[in-house]
């Protein structure tokens, strides 16, 4: 993965150096092997226990048959749903990586409904399945659905004091904060992001870099409040944390791209509003160069952030650069035409077209119809 190095104090993001030979959806090869071995063990337990029970019955060893029957029920309760869900999540992850969120959504939704109907344990794998589905909803702007899923996860986790302090709890809290941000619920987002930040701050040294994720969520809150100094401070700290070599094992390397891009985006906006125009232009150029080089957030850019940055360039009279950022956001909307952040982008894009005497293009702009091929592929 290429890095961005357009600003003299800007730390570079090098995913390739960290992860070595890439595994599935950026999963480190060692972790992927461990997950596969664990899945095979679960399959063995679920299938072997009933077979052993039958063998004991046929051999007349009734006490042993009773013991293995109890083990059969226990392993089914513990592992059966996970056996089905894990391969589905791995496949959905590969679809997400290729930006095929709709297909991933269909798979994850079907498996989640199956798991809910099965009399099986709801563990971290279940929460991960819910979270992955919620992320696909976020990518398509279905924020109410994402909010409901994360609400269910957090409600379950908070009932267990140990789970409530786990780094994965911080991940889910921050993801819900991001959902709130998209719905302009800034107070709720700030509260959740700070809760996640506190969990990461109390984590082991190797997981301290996880603070970058809630810090990046707080950027929009700071901007909304007009606290530009806090916005830049947290952006710089998040950039430093997400570019460290040692990262939390609970977060796939590609997720760092979203943090990195978010920090560059909001720091550029801060620089514009503080009159540091040249610095803002350098950061914006870094964003565009990274985008052209394939540095894309897996679950989409912040459309409000891109819109704000485009407005700053329009205010400078640089409509060409403004249109570049609007087009990046518009690519998301062409795939997800009912995206919740669509109206704000439409208004800005329409203003740009009018100011550049291209009013005749407005009708095509509003015709957010996905190509037939995309519809057929889901």
């Amino acid at each position: 993965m290429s890095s961005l190095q357009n600003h003299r104090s800007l730390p570079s993001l090098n995913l390739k150096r960290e992860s070595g030979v890439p595994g599935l959806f950026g999963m480190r090869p060692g972790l992927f092997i461990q997950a596969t071995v664990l899945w095979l063990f679960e399959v063995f337990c679920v299938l072997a226990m009933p077979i052993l029970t039958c063998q004991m019955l046929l051999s007349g060893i009734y006490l042993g048959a009773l013991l293995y029957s109890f083990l059969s029920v226990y392993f089914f309760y513990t592992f059966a749903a996970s056996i089905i869900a894990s391969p589905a999540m791995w496949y959905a992850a590969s679809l997400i990586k290729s930006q095929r969120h709709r297909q991933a959504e269909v798979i994850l939704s079907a498996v989640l409904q199956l798991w809910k109907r099965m009399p099986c344990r709801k563990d971290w794998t279940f929460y991960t399945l819910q979270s992955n589905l919620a992320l696909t909803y976020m990518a398509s702007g279905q924020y109410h659905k994402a909010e409901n899923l994360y609400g269910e996860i957090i409600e379950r986790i908070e009932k267990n004091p140990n789970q409530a302090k786990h780094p994965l709890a911080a991940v889910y809290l921050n993801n819900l904060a991001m959902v709130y941000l998209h719905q302009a619920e800034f107070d709720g987002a700030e509260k959740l992001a700070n809760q996640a930040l506190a969990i990461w701050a109390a984590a082991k040294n190797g997981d301290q870099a996880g603070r970058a994720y809630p810090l990046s969520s707080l950027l929009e809150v700071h901007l909304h409040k007009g606290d530009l100094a806090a916005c830049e401070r947290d952006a710089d700290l998040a950039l430093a944390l997400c570019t460290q070599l040692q990262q939390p094992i609970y977060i796939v390397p590609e997720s760092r791209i979203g943090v990195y891009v978010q920090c560059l985006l909001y720091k550029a906006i801060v620089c514009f509003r503080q009159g540091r125009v040249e610095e803002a232009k350098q950061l914006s150029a870094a964003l565009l160069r990274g985008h052209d080089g394939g540095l894309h957030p897996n679950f989409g850019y912040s459309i409000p952030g891109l819109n704000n940055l485009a407005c700053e360039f329009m205010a400078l009279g640089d409509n060409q650069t403004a249109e570049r950022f609007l087009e990046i956001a518009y690519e998301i909307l062409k795939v997800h035409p009912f995206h919740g952040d669509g109206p704000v982008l439409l208004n800005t894009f329409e203003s740009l077209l009018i100011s550049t005497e291209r009013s005749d293009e407005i009708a095509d702009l509003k015709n957010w119809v996905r190509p037939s091929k995309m519809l057929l592929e889901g």
Side-chain angles (χ1 to χ4, degrees):
M1 182 68 68
S2 61
S3 60
L4 302 181
Q5 297 176 328
N6 294 8
H7 191 264
R8 62 181 181 180
S9 61
L10 186 63
S12 63
L13 181 66
N14 195 326
L15 296 178
K16 185 177 180 181
R17 182 180 60 181
E18 179 208 49
S19 56
V21 180
L24 184 58
F25 192 36
M27 184 183 291
R28 298 171 182 85
L31 290 178
F32 180 63
I33 292 171
Q34 290 178 32
T36 304
V37 171
L38 178 60
W39 181 79
L40 291 173
F41 171 75
E42 292 171 352
V43 172
F44 171 79
C45 290
V46 170
L47 296 179
M49 291 305 116
I51 294 173
L52 291 172
T53 300
C54 293
Q55 288 181 339
M56 289 290 181
L57 283 172
L58 293 173
S59 302
I61 309 174
Y62 299 111
L63 185 60
L66 182 62
L67 173 62
Y68 280 117
S69 65
F70 280 126
L71 287 174
S72 297
V73 173
Y74 172 76
F75 284 128
F76 181 87
Y77 170 76
T78 306
F79 298 135
S82 179
I83 289 172
I84 299 171
S86 293
M89 286 194 293
W90 296 340
Y91 179 53
S94 67
L95 292 174
I96 291 169
K97 188 175 181 180
S98 59
Q99 301 294 306
R100 296 159 70 185
H101 294 106
R102 176 55 184 164
Q103 288 179 313
E105 177 188 326
V106 170
I107 292 169
L108 293 171
S109 180
V111 175
L112 180 62
Q113 293 306 315
L114 177 63
W115 195 326
K116 286 183 175 180
R117 293 189 181 97
M118 294 176 68
C120 295
R121 183 177 67 175
K122 309 299 188 291
D123 56 7
W124 286 115
T125 306
F126 178 75
Y127 302 149
T128 301
L129 173 62
Q130 282 187 297
S131 179
N132 289 350
L133 178 58
L135 287 171
T136 64
Y137 287 146
M138 286 178 63
S140 59
Q142 301 177 76
Y143 301 126
H144 62 290
K145 292 184 178 180
E147 182 178 351
N148 289 338
L149 282 176
Y150 279 122
E152 289 180 16
I153 296 172
I154 292 169
E155 184 179 356
R156 285 179 178 271
I157 287 176
E158 287 180 342
K159 294 177 181 178
N160 187 320
N162 291 327
Q163 289 185 343
K165 298 177 182 178
H166 195 279
L168 280 174
V171 173
Y172 303 141
L173 285 165
N174 185 61
N175 287 353
L176 182 55
M178 292 166 62
V179 174
Y180 280 6
L181 285 175
H182 283 291
Q183 299 177 94
E185 298 178 17
F186 296 103
D187 290 339
E190 183 176 19
K191 180 182 177 181
L192 290 165
N194 281 323
Q195 285 180 300
L197 190 60
I199 294 173
W200 284 119
K204 297 178 181 179
N205 292 335
D207 291 335
Q208 286 288 314
R211 290 178 293 155
Y213 298 86
L215 284 171
S216 70
S217 296
L218 288 170
L219 301 182
E220 194 171 343
V221 175
H222 295 321
L223 197 66
H224 172 72
K225 292 182 175 181
D227 193 345
L228 301 182
C231 189
E232 184 172 15
R233 178 200 65 212
D234 285 353
D236 286 337
L237 180 54
L239 278 170
L241 290 168
C242 80
T243 53
Q244 289 180 3
L245 199 57
Q246 190 171 10
Q247 294 290 318
I249 63 172
Y250 307 101
I251 303 176
V252 295
E254 284 88 348
S255 294
R256 294 163 56 200
I257 298 174
V259 174
Y260 194 68
V261 169
Q262 179 89 339
C263 291
L264 295 185
L265 184 58
Y266 279 89
K267 185 169 180 177
I269 294 171
V270 168
C271 289
F272 268 123
R273 295 187 180 181
Q274 290 182 335
R276 296 148 57 191
V277 176
E278 289 306 313
E279 192 173 352
K281 287 182 177 179
Q282 289 177 26
L283 290 164
S284 300
L287 273 170
L288 292 174
R289 194 138 61 195
H291 177 80
D292 294 340
L295 203 63
H296 305 150
N298 284 293
F299 296 98
Y301 291 85
S302 167
I303 292 179
L306 290 172
N307 185 76
N308 282 331
L309 193 54
C311 288
E312 296 292 344
F313 277 102
M314 288 172 65
L316 288 178
D318 186 352
N319 291 325
Q320 184 176 1
T321 305
E323 189 166 0
R324 284 289 312 277
F325 285 110
L326 292 176
E327 285 175 346
I328 291 172
Y330 187 62
E331 288 300 314
I332 300 171
L333 300 178
K334 285 197 292 187
V335 179
H336 307 292
F338 301 109
H339 198 288
D341 292 327
V344 65
L345 181 75
L346 174 62
N347 292 334
T348 304
F349 219 145
E350 186 172 350
S351 297
L352 176 70
L353 293 175
I354 291 173
S355 66
T356 53
E357 300 181 352
R358 294 152 58 198
S359 299
D360 56 312
E361 296 179 28
I362 293 176
D364 289 335
L365 173 71
K366 293 181 178 180
N367 187 25
W368 291 347
V369 179
R370 288 175 287 183
S372 301
K373 183 179 178 182
M374 284 189 177
L375 287 170
L376 292 172
E377 291 177 348

